[in-house]
Amino acid sequence: MPVAELLTRHPDAWRRATRAPFLDAVRDGTLPAGAFDTWLVQDAHFVADLLRFQARLLARAPRPASAVLAAGCVALVEELAWFSSVAAGRGLDLAAPRLPATVAYAQLLDRLDAADAGTALTALWTIERTYLDAWSAALPGAPGYREFVEHWTVPGFAAYVAGLAAVAGDADDAVFLEVTAAEEAFWGMALS
Ligand code: MP5
């Protein structure tokens, strides 16, 4: 079964992962800049953790998945450089400690090293598809956040997510629910 069917099989988990109050506040401009900055620093940590996970997955994934995983690793390296320039512009300390939701998500990524490559690919597709749909729902974004919403909804990102769907393993319910729960907690982190 194609992984996209997981979205309709688990509508509540999907809605909670992609329709967070944080995103509503980015769209209507009510999100305090401090909360956004807190979230940005944590997302930079997450992207660094994701790069390590994805590099390990690239090393063991079947050959048809190599190109999309390698391109994704390069994109993550570029994303980290982008985070550095954003942090410099906003005066953020990217070395601030990880918050509990970030630590828990990193632990999930580490556990996925023990899963077969197909399941880990399904998890990676879920991570990216959640992010794409969540930010797409925040379009166009309030003026202060528009550049960020646009950054995370570029057409190339949707193409990447489609590429991951093409190489993902089975539509694994358990890993889908674990990832969507981690995403939900991550959105909630900066508002709690
Ligand atoms: C992504 C992210 C997508 N940056 N943060 C969270 C919490 N989930 C998913 O990562 P990217 O940068 O699109 O690979």
Side-chain angles (χ1 to χ4, degrees):
M1 183 194 324
V3 281
E5 289 196 15
L6 289 164
L7 277 49
T8 48
R9 229 198 283 173
H10 303 287
D12 293 341
W14 185 245
R15 187 174 2 83
R16 288 194 302 269
T18 56
R19 296 291 184 274
F22 179 91
L23 293 156
D24 294 338
V26 165
R27 191 178 51 241
D28 65 23
T30 55
L31 186 72
F36 187 71
D37 287 344
T38 297
W39 181 89
L40 265 181
V41 171
Q42 296 305 309
D43 205 48
H45 281 312
F46 174 80
V47 170
D49 295 337
L50 185 63
L51 173 59
R52 283 186 280 268
F53 163 74
Q54 191 156 331
R56 296 190 299 262
L57 180 56
L58 171 60
R60 69 190 179 96
R63 188 64 225 290
S66 302
V68 68
L69 285 173
C73 284
V74 172
L76 289 171
V77 172
E78 289 167 356
E79 184 82 350
L80 288 170
W82 176 82
F83 269 112
S84 292
S85 71
V86 167
R90 295 174 78 90
L92 306 180
D93 177 13
L94 288 181
R98 283 171 171 74
L99 292 173
T102 313
V103 173
Y105 211 155
Q107 289 168 343
L108 169 57
L109 295 177
D110 285 344
R111 284 201 302 280
L112 285 166
D113 286 345
D116 62 84
T119 301
L121 282 163
T122 298
L124 180 60
W125 168 80
T126 307
I127 290 167
E128 299 291 0
R129 178 67 198 258
T130 305
Y131 209 64
L132 174 65
D133 282 37
W135 283 112
S136 298
L139 276 167
Y145 298 122
R146 189 152 300 168
E147 62 176 300
F148 296 96
V149 181
E150 287 174 355
H151 177 80
W152 289 309
T153 53
V154 292
F157 185 31
Y160 173 55
V161 175
L164 288 175
V167 297
D170 292 337
D172 186 308
D173 296 293
V175 83
F176 179 83
L177 292 172
E178 271 198 288
V179 170
T180 49
E183 287 287 334
E184 179 187 355
F186 207 89
W187 295 124
M189 170 172 53
L191 291 182
S192 57

